[in-house]
Amino acid sequence: GAGVSQSPRYKVAKRGQDVALRCDPISGHVSLFWYQQALGQGPEFLTYFQNEAQLDKSGLPSDRFFAERPEGSVSTLKIQRTQQEDSAVYLCASSLVSLPNEQFFGPGTRLTVL
Amino acid sequence: AQSVAQPEDQVNVAEGNPLTVKCTYSVSGNPYLFWYVQYPNRGLQFLLKYITGDNLVKGSYGFEAEFNKSQTSFHLKKPSALVSDSALYFCAVRDYQTGANNLFFGTGTRLTVIP
């Protein structure tokens, strides 16, 4: 079956622009995670959804970052007034609630803020 | 607090030789441990995990890892390296004690297998 998909794969934004990154999880996967991977670093947790409920947003670096999953499927990560330090690869992962240790990752969106 | 250390940024090994990629961790309770591999322009791919039970776990592509509680380590190993194993490897931990579902990753080790 299809894996986790993310779009766009690449995004270039001018500093100050708003961006929206989309994640389509594996069908039936209730849990959804967003991670940020800076160049040369490991992924860092941003936020976690179970269905449409955002249960953990402790990793969001500032109030410019906002994530939603209104119907419990597709999720969007929005970054307002982008800054150069937001440049990173944004990874989405999904899993079954019954198998929380089987996270499947998408290919990521590489965001470059100029 | 939880943490993962991958002490080697780069590991080089000759094709056919055994390889080891090191990982140590720190969590407040019992750890759930994972290894992922990342190829260029692709997402993280799951290799193997330790949850409970046998300390030696076997995973995809002939990889295995040994959980050592006393040394708080979870080193990734393979008996005979292939050129196609060249990639970026990440160790990760989930702290069961905190109830958090997210993974905490190390900084990664780049493995290069030399033909």
Side-chain angles (χ1 to χ4, degrees), chain B residues 86-109:
Chain B
S86 298
L88 191 56
Y89 290 80
F90 289 96
C91 181
V93 66
R94 178 180 166 218
D95 190 342
Y96 179 75
Q97 191 85 356
T98 65
N101 288 306
N102 59 285
L103 300 175
F104 191 89
F105 287 85
T107 53
T109 298

Side-chain angles (χ1 to χ4, degrees), chain A residues 9-10 33 35 37 40-45 48 50 56 91 100-103 105-108 110, chain B residues 32 34 36 38 41-46 49 51 88 90 94 100-108:
Chain A
R9 291 292 312 277
Y10 302 91
F33 304 82
Y35 293 85
Q37 185 176 16
Q41 300 296 315
E44 293 189 1
F45 170 73
Y48 163 63
Q50 191 171 112
D56 187 348
L91 298 169
N101 296 306
E102 302 276 353
Q103 290 189 24
F105 283 80
R110 182 178 297 277
Chain B
Y32 292 169
F34 306 82
Y36 283 82
Q38 188 173 43
N41 298 317
R42 295 177 66 178
L44 294 167
Q45 295 181 31
F46 171 81
K49 67 184 179 189
I51 303 301
L88 191 56
F90 289 96
R94 178 180 166 218
N101 288 306
N102 59 285
L103 300 175
F104 191 89
F105 287 85
T107 53

Side-chain angles (χ1 to χ4, degrees), chain B residues 6-79:
Chain B
Q6 293 182 244
E8 302 157 317
D9 291 336
Q10 174 81 41
V11 170
N12 297 325
V13 63
E15 185 178 22
N17 282 4
L19 69 86
T20 299
V21 183
K22 296 179 180 178
C23 172
T24 59
Y25 66 89
S26 175
V27 295
S28 55
N30 293 323
Y32 292 169
L33 295 157
F34 306 82
W35 276 100
Y36 283 82
V37 60
Q38 188 173 43
Y39 297 99
N41 298 317
R42 295 177 66 178
L44 294 167
Q45 295 181 31
F46 171 81
L47 279 180
L48 51 79
K49 67 184 179 189
Y50 170 81
I51 303 301
T52 187
D54 194 348
N55 288 346
L56 182 66
V57 293
K58 295 185 183 295
S60 307
Y61 312 120
F63 284 93
E64 59 186 30
E66 185 166 12
F67 171 61
N68 187 318
K69 188 173 184 177
S70 63
Q71 296 186 5
T72 61
S73 67
F74 190 58
H75 301 330
L76 181 69
K77 299 183 179 183
K78 187 174 182 180

